[in-house]
Amino acid sequence: MNLEQLTQWADPIGAVIGFMLTLMVLSYVIGDNFLFRIAIHIFIGVASGYAAVIIFYNIFWNQVILPLLLVFLQGAPSGLLVSLAHILPVLLLGGWMLTKASPRLARLGTPVLAFLVGVGAATVIGGALFGTLIPQVAATAGVLDLDAAPDDTGKLVGWFISSIFILVGTVTTLSYFQFGVRPHIEGAIPTRHPFFESMATIGHGFIAITLGVFFAGVLAAALVALVDRARFLWQVIQSIFL
Amino acid sequence: MAEILCPECGKSNTDELETCRFCQAPLKPIDDALPDWLGDLQHSEPEQPTETSSTGEVGGLEADLFGVTSDSDLPDWLRQSATPPKSEIHAPPAPASTDPTEETPDWLAALSSLPEPKALPPSKVPAQGSAVPAEKLPDWLANLGEAQNPDIPLEEPPPVPFDGVETPDWLTSLDNVPTDKPVDVVPAFTFNEEEDAELLVGGEDQPLSTLPDWASQITSEQTEVLPPEPIEPGLVPEELPGWLIAMRPVESVAPTAPLEDLSGTDVVSAGPLIGLRGVLSAEPDALKSRKPVSYSLKLHVTDDQRSRLVLMEELLASELTPKPLPAQPVLTPQNIFRLGIALALFLPVLFMMIRQSLSVPLPSMETLPGVQDFYNELVDVAPETPVLLAIDYEAGFTGEMEVGARAVVEQLARQQAFLVLMSTNTTGPALAERLLTEIAIAPGKPYPNAVNLGYLPGGALGLAELVLSPRQSLPYTLNAIDPWVLPSLISINTLSDFSLVIVMTNDAETARAWIEQTSPALQANGVPLLLVTSSQAEPLVIPYTSGALPQVQGLLAGLPGSVLLEHRTGVASNGSGMWDAFSLSLTISALVILIGSVSGAVIAALKEGKPETKKQPGRKSEPKQEQS
Amino acid sequence: MKKALSIGNALIAIAAGVLVLLGYLLPELLGTLRTLLVQWAVILAAFALLLGIINLVMVHGKRLTTPKASLNKLYSAVLLLSLILTILLVGIATPTSFWSVWLVSTFQVPVEASLLAVLAVVLVYSASRLLSRRLHWTSLLFLGTVVLVLLGMAPLLFIGEVPILSSLRQWLASVPALAGARGLLLGVALGAIATGLRILMGVDRPYGD
């Protein structure tokens, strides 16, 4: 059997394997069992193996070995040195970080991890500030922007009510997470200020609605997967047995 | 009022008391059991140091030692021996007390049988009132009586002859010694009579090798300061010279009350400090060294403790061994209910798959406004313009995401856009390749205007680098081809150089990371950002699509949006085959939730309304849910 | 010595973070440095992922060497075998080849999709039991929203689109859910900024001592 024939058989074989794996995982509805665990461990092995190869190709091969090879083949020593100067420090850092794999040497890799965490923290701060905080605050503040209001008077009332609703909802949702309490008499249960308490209660309602929409979305995505699996199973049965 | 000295503590008490007011010891019974002379001695108070001659000083010291301060305190025999009248001297010895029932000590009786003493030198004249003839008394006793009587004219005492008693030489020699000489040293106790005769002046020596019983009862308390006895008539107080008065150590002689109450301390019963309280005992037993008690280092374990140890060891051993889980029944109400739900969902869906009819209409564009915006941006892409496609959904969401992704890719391929596929997910490159096979012109002939750059690690970090320099972050394709030299990509230096960026993701966090890192740069350069998301990420992405300057220009959410776009673009329907089953599953889910919630609420309300039943042993009751 | 190392690690994190943050604010001055640091961090993130895979192999390899026979040994053996075979196949054939795509389509897609399908059953079951466990006004509001959104998401079978349901669903998603989501996003952003600043000040040290 040559490669082309093997390629032709790949789809049916793949379909059968997929069929078996689908049933093994769906058996979890009855309860945890041996077949389900085998399927999960196969999945983890394949996913990890693919990730390891992707890292090798995308990082080591594409960003380290290949540039050096190309520069070497081009015959430019100065370029090679520049590439090495660019690549070598990070390779050394990466190798240094791999000491974390050993329990005895784990402490040695902490400085590299600290560098990674520091850069990551700064990136997250920049993104949160310029990507979410400022634009969303501006959007909340501009919710009652009359320039964005509809021209139709009938729709204007609806727009206005909705805008107030959005504004109140945003502020009360934020106030729900304010947990500061007032100084209290010894022995009494500490409570929030009544104004914040009432704001938090309204925010609680908005959060309940938001989480309800979240839940419905997750359920819908899961139902699509269920439908997709049902369709797959039927297609395999159809192709093999019918 | 007369005072009595307590025989126990030695403190003075009034005559009226029967028990000592300090130590509660009986005062009077002791007197009754003792002979008169001893009882008299106990009743006598310690004498204050008075202005006496040297003999008087000696007598005073002796008085301090024995607690005898006046004639009234002295026993009769002692008093008489001091200055006995002539008539009394020659009289036969009379008993100390008139009480015929009292016992006379043997030594005293022996004395009375002795012949009358010869005349004694004045210093040796015993005190008045002594019932014992002078010739019968020992020398020390005779001297004692004379010394304690200040009224005795010591200079010229009348001689007291002792019949039948030879006067010792020392006593004779003492007669010639002037009595007005001061006494330098008077030892309290002497054991050599001859030495005593030399040292003593006036013959007042007290050779005491052992203390008599009455002396042992004298304690330091007896040196209290007591009011002076009224002077008896006939007694002339002696005038002491001034230098003698000045020499007198008042502080040491003056009896003072003890600084601390020693009534609770033990009385020394042996040794030279006999009768004293509050002092270290000289008893041999007190200083006897004892071998310290030896404690065994061996741990003594009782049977009860041993049994507890065994139990503890068994408990610890059982912690290490894994316990087999108790066998749980397969058919529990929860399992049956779950199985019922699974069948209720799966079977109708399978039925719809088998039927394959399109009876459910597609959603309208008004209900999903983001789809129209998405489509508008999509169709604006010019041919050969680079479009970045981020394939960031998980393999499990291919059923939902590939519907929309396929529609987008096919539409763009139709428009001959240059597609640059990449992913921040490890399975993304493979899923991107699946999409590219959909737009293949023919098997083995991939779409020419597409490159797969592979995986970008780091999440938000990778996106930050992608924004700044896509060339550096993804320099080559997975086939080792440099795509940045291609005509469509040669002008790409930053992310903003792309004409369109489409992110396909099922995860809300990934969507948020893309928006946060890329939208500021893209917005600044007017590059639209479109999102294809799953239904679960839609609620978190909607805020980015609203406002005056939305960060996301188009949103395709879930199967409804994907199916709508499919329909709008006219792409070969893939999602439509699932649409009926999806609609049915949504309805069944909503109904199951509604029925289950209502019945659950009713059952819970009925349970709360019922009176509390007895708790089963070993079963904890559910905590009451707090109302927020 | 321990304390000196700990302070040193904190200083590294703070220095790197501050330079990147300043690069955001002063792109002309520190833009190049920021790009270099971010590039290094991206490559190191790949090493971190590799480290995770190495750890996975070590854990399951250790489990194989235990003398006691158990099903866990079989599971670990299956995992390691599939990992090795995947590495060999994808490594030889390249990640975007036919066989790599086949591997992902045959093994990863069915298992993950099936897990999601099982999740659907679990979600419906848990939602239907919510009120029996917790009867509260927020639970009622939550379940009511879920039911309305589900019914309004797609036209109903044999009935078609019910305008009130779809309008209600649209209103719920675009008004109260938008408000709540925006509040949550603002809270998340503030929390992310606070956490990042704590790391840059050395208060939090998630990388260890």
Side-chain angles (χ1 to χ4, degrees):
Chain A
M1 188 184 285
N2 57 13
L3 199 63
E4 200 176 320
Q5 283 174 327
L6 195 63
T7 310
Q8 285 175 354
W9 278 100
D11 282 339
I13 295 168
V16 170
I17 294 171
F19 182 87
M20 280 167 26
L21 284 172
T22 300
L23 289 178
M24 283 159 77
V25 175
L26 288 177
S27 68
Y28 189 76
V29 172
I30 303 167
D32 193 7
N33 56 76
F34 170 75
L35 293 173
F36 171 77
R37 283 180 176 256
I38 287 284
I40 292 300
H41 282 79
I42 291 170
F43 160 70
I44 295 168
V46 169
S48 308
Y50 190 84
V53 178
I54 276 286
I55 289 166
F56 174 77
Y57 267 93
N58 256 119
I59 307 303
F60 296 122
W61 183 254
N62 285 357
Q63 300 203 25
V64 177
I65 299 167
L66 203 54
L68 287 173
L69 272 176
L70 287 171
V71 169
F72 185 73
L73 287 171
Q74 283 168 9
S78 59
L80 186 68
L81 283 169
V82 168
S83 296
L84 273 172
H86 193 72
I87 294 157
L88 213 59
V90 73
L91 275 182
L92 288 171
L93 285 173
W96 187 358
M97 199 170 77
L98 287 177
T99 57
K100 278 278 186 186
S102 164
R104 280 180 297 148
L105 302 172
R107 237 172 218 262
L108 290 174
T110 307
V112 184
L113 214 60
F115 168 78
L116 191 58
V117 167
V119 175
T123 308
V124 163
I125 288 171
L129 190 63
F130 297 110
T132 297
L133 198 65
I134 294 171
Q136 291 302 310
V137 167
T140 308
V143 80
L144 288 169
D145 186 11
L146 290 172
D147 292 336
D151 298 324
D152 187 13
T153 314
K155 286 185 180 176
L156 186 70
V157 174
W159 169 84
F160 184 76
I161 292 169
S162 298
S163 301
I164 294 289
F165 216 77
I166 291 168
L167 192 64
V168 168
T170 307
V171 173
T172 54
T173 302
L174 269 174
S175 68
Y176 176 78
F177 296 105
Q178 198 274 6
F179 297 113
V181 294
R182 295 180 295 165
H184 58 282
I185 307 160
E186 207 170 306
I189 298 168
T191 54
R192 285 186 280 203
H193 192 275
F195 176 69
F196 284 111
E197 192 66 44
S198 56
M199 293 261 283
T201 306
I202 299 168
H204 200 180
F206 276 96
I207 289 169
I209 294 170
T210 308
L211 292 179
V213 175
F214 271 130
F215 186 88
V218 173
L219 182 55
L223 287 170
V224 173
L226 181 71
V227 168
D228 179 59
R229 286 298 94 198
R231 183 177 68 162
F232 172 77
L233 289 173
W234 175 243
Q235 283 176 347
V236 172
I237 292 169
Q238 240 185 345
S239 61
I240 294 173
F241 301 107
L242 300 174
Chain B
M1 190 185 291
E3 293 198 354
I4 303 171
L5 288 177
C6 173
E8 288 294 324
C9 62
K11 292 186 180 175
S12 92
N13 294 272
T14 55
D15 195 17
E16 297 169 347
L17 298 170
E18 298 207 354
T19 56
C20 175
R21 62 178 184 215
F22 299 103
C23 68
Q24 311 306 321
L27 297 170
K28 293 200 181 153
I30 294 171
D31 293 347
D32 295 334
L34 293 169
D36 289 339
W37 61 268
L38 205 54
D40 293 339
L41 194 63
Q42 283 179 338
H43 291 165
S44 67
E45 295 173 2
E47 192 182 35
Q48 284 284 350
T50 54
E51 296 177 4
T52 58
S53 61
S54 58
T55 54
E57 186 183 347
V58 171
L61 284 172
E62 288 167 344
D64 291 342
L65 189 61
F66 300 114
V68 177
T69 54
S70 65
D71 280 350
S72 63
D73 295 335
L74 288 171
D76 296 340
W77 59 269
L78 205 59
R79 208 176 296 122
Q80 287 170 6
S81 66
T83 51
K86 281 186 183 178
S87 60
E88 290 181 1
I89 290 167
H90 295 284
S97 80
T98 54
D99 188 359
T101 60
E102 252 192 16
E103 282 185 20
T104 314
D106 294 336
W107 59 272
L108 205 57
L111 281 174
S112 63
S113 64
L114 287 172
E116 289 183 353
K118 292 177 184 175
L120 287 174
S123 61
K124 292 188 172 52
V125 173
Q128 279 182 345
S130 171
V132 178
E135 65 273 18
K136 301 273 183 198
L137 288 171
D139 298 338
W140 61 270
L141 209 52
N143 295 336
L144 178 65
E146 184 181 327
Q148 287 165 356
N149 192 350
D151 295 333
I152 299 170
L154 293 172
E155 289 181 3
E156 290 181 3
V160 180
F162 282 87
D163 291 333
V165 175
E166 286 185 9
T167 312
D169 294 340
W170 60 270
L171 201 59
T172 312
S173 65
L174 277 176
D175 291 341
N176 299 328
V177 175
T179 57
D180 58 349
K181 275 189 180 174
V183 178
D184 294 327
V185 174
V186 180
F189 306 114
T190 56
F191 296 98
N192 192 343
E193 287 186 357
E194 290 181 357
E195 286 179 4
D196 289 346
E198 292 172 1
L199 290 170
L200 285 173
V201 177
E204 294 127 3
D205 61 331
Q206 305 289 333
L208 299 172
S209 56
T210 57
L211 287 172
D213 293 338
W214 57 265
S216 67
Q217 292 173 8
I218 298 165
T219 63
S220 58
E221 285 90 352
Q222 291 177 359
T223 58
E224 284 178 357
V225 178
L226 294 167
E229 282 290 321
I231 300 168
E232 289 185 5
L235 292 175
V236 178
E238 190 62 45
E239 291 181 3
L240 291 172
W243 60 267
L244 193 62
I245 294 164
M247 278 175 61
R248 189 174 63 198
V250 180
E251 296 85 0
S252 60
V253 171
T256 57
L259 295 174
E260 56 179 316
D261 182 18
L262 299 173
S263 57
T265 57
D266 294 331
V267 180
V268 179
S269 58
L273 302 177
I274 188 168
L276 295 178
R277 286 179 183 269
V279 295
L280 289 174
S281 174
E283 294 174 58
D285 290 339
L287 298 174
K288 195 177 179 181
S289 62
R290 289 180 293 174
K291 194 179 173 186
V293 178
S294 61
Y295 295 96
S296 170
L297 292 174
K298 224 177 174 181
L299 187 67
H300 297 286
V301 181
T302 62
D303 287 336
D304 184 41
Q305 287 172 337
R306 196 166 279 114
S307 64
R308 287 171 194 272
L309 272 170
V310 167
L311 191 67
M312 183 66 145
E313 280 171 0
E314 282 173 9
L315 276 170
L316 288 172
S318 69
E319 286 292 320
L320 296 171
T321 55
K323 289 181 190 172
L325 290 169
Q328 289 183 358
V330 177
L331 290 176
T332 59
Q334 290 86 2
N335 282 357
I336 293 168
F337 187 33
R338 199 161 53 217
L339 196 61
I341 290 171
L343 290 172
L345 287 172
F346 193 76
L347 292 176
V349 164
L350 195 62
F351 176 72
M352 294 304 292
M353 285 291 112
I354 297 167
R355 242 185 62 169
Q356 285 284 328
S357 65
L358 298 169
S359 51
V360 177
L362 293 174
S364 60
M365 202 60 89
E366 289 77 26
T367 57
L368 299 167
V371 178
Q372 187 60 45
D373 298 330
F374 191 99
Y375 177 75
N376 294 338
E377 294 290 342
L378 206 62
V379 295
D380 281 346
V381 173
E384 303 292 329
T385 54
V387 174
L388 183 72
L389 289 170
I391 314 299
D392 270 350
Y393 55 86
E394 301 283 337
F397 287 84
T398 50
E400 184 184 21
M401 297 299 297
E402 272 191 352
V403 175
R406 206 170 275 146
V408 167
V409 167
E410 285 204 19
Q411 177 61 31
L412 288 169
R414 240 187 254 171
Q415 291 168 210
Q416 295 292 314
F418 194 93
L419 306 177
V420 179
L421 290 90
M422 53 82 64
S423 177
T424 62
N425 191 0
T426 52
T427 51
L431 299 173
E433 207 60 34
R434 271 166 66 115
L435 282 176
L436 288 177
T437 57
E438 296 290 325
I439 57 172
I441 299 166
K445 270 193 170 179
Y447 177 69
N449 290 349
V451 288
N452 189 352
L453 299 181
Y455 168 64
L456 179 64
L461 278 170
L463 294 172
E465 193 192 10
L466 185 73
V467 170
L468 296 169
S469 175
R471 285 175 179 262
Q472 280 187 358
S473 59
L474 297 162
Y476 300 98
T477 67
L478 286 172
N479 297 326
I481 297 166
D482 185 359
W484 306 106
V485 298
L486 295 171
S488 300
L489 299 179
I490 201 160
S491 58
I492 303 292
N493 293 309
T494 64
L495 189 70
S496 311
D497 295 331
F498 284 94
S499 61
L500 182 66
V501 175
I502 303 173
V503 178
M504 301 177 192
T505 180
N506 63 281
D507 184 25
E509 288 301 313
T510 307
R512 190 170 65 86
W514 268 97
I515 295 165
E516 283 183 354
Q517 297 298 329
T518 63
S519 67
L522 294 174
Q523 263 186 321
N525 292 281
V527 177
L529 175 64
L530 305 180
L531 246 65
V532 179
T533 66
S534 164
S535 303
Q536 68 178 16
E538 185 189 1
L540 259 187
V541 177
I542 284 177
Y544 292 108
T545 63
S546 62
L549 293 168
Q551 291 160 281
V552 176
Q553 281 68 40
L555 177 63
L556 201 70
L559 191 65
S562 303
V563 166
L564 201 57
L565 185 70
E566 262 190 348
H567 176 74
R568 190 71 180 85
T569 56
V571 171
S573 164
N574 190 36
S576 305
M578 294 197 295
W579 184 246
D580 288 356
F582 175 66
S583 172
L584 184 63
S585 65
L586 283 176
T587 312
I588 294 169
S589 303
L591 284 172
V592 169
I593 290 169
L594 202 61
I595 294 166
S597 302
V598 168
S599 56
V602 167
I603 292 166
L606 286 172
K607 268 186 187 173
E608 273 184 25
K610 273 183 188 175
E612 283 184 16
T613 54
K614 269 189 186 175
K615 263 192 288 184
Q616 289 185 18
R619 206 177 182 190
K620 287 180 188 175
S621 59
E622 283 185 11
K624 218 173 182 182
Q625 288 154 359
E626 288 176 11
Q627 303 258 336
S628 62
Chain C
M1 183 67 180
K2 244 183 180 180
K3 200 165 183 182
L5 281 172
S6 172
I7 293 168
N9 294 337
L11 284 172
I12 291 169
I14 292 165
V18 165
L19 284 171
V20 170
L21 206 56
L22 287 175
Y24 267 107
L25 305 170
L26 309 165
E28 293 84 16
L29 203 63
L30 293 168
T32 314
L33 182 63
R34 178 192 158 212
T35 308
L36 182 69
L37 290 175
V38 169
Q39 195 179 7
W40 283 7
V42 168
I43 295 171
L44 289 174
F47 274 95
L49 188 59
L50 199 65
L51 197 63
I53 296 168
I54 291 168
N55 186 50
L56 180 79
V57 171
M58 282 169 65
V59 165
H60 285 276
K62 201 174 178 182
R63 214 181 270 183
L64 277 180
T65 59
T66 54
K68 202 175 176 182
S70 70
L71 274 176
N72 287 336
K73 280 178 84 171
L74 176 64
Y75 299 145
S76 298
V78 165
L79 188 146
L80 290 173
L81 186 67
S82 53
L83 188 140
I84 291 164
L85 289 174
T86 304
I87 289 171
L88 287 172
L89 182 62
V90 177
I92 295 167
T94 73
T96 51
S97 68
F98 170 79
W99 290 106
S100 301
V101 175
W102 176 86
L103 197 72
V104 170
S105 303
T106 305
F107 291 93
Q108 252 184 288
V109 170
V111 172
E112 270 197 61
S114 305
L115 281 171
L116 203 54
V118 170
L119 182 66
V121 176
V122 173
L123 288 175
V124 171
Y125 172 75
S126 57
S128 60
R129 291 202 64 195
L130 179 63
L131 282 186
S132 63
R133 286 182 176 276
R134 188 186 145 104
L135 191 60
H136 193 254
W137 66 275
T138 50
S139 306
L140 286 166
L141 198 58
F142 172 83
L143 282 172
T145 308
V146 169
V147 170
L148 284 172
V149 170
L150 285 176
L151 292 175
M153 197 178 278
L156 302 175
L157 191 65
F158 307 123
I159 300 172
E161 191 169 337
V162 179
I164 191 162
L165 282 174
S166 41
S167 305
L168 204 58
R169 186 255 167 200
Q170 193 191 350
W171 181 83
L172 279 170
S174 59
V175 179
L178 167 71
R182 189 167 275 165
L184 288 172
L185 281 173
L186 286 170
V188 166
L190 287 168
I193 291 167
T195 305
L197 285 174
R198 283 171 68 89
I199 291 170
L200 293 188
M201 287 192 293
V203 177
D204 277 344
R205 299 179 192 182
Y207 39 86
D209 287 328

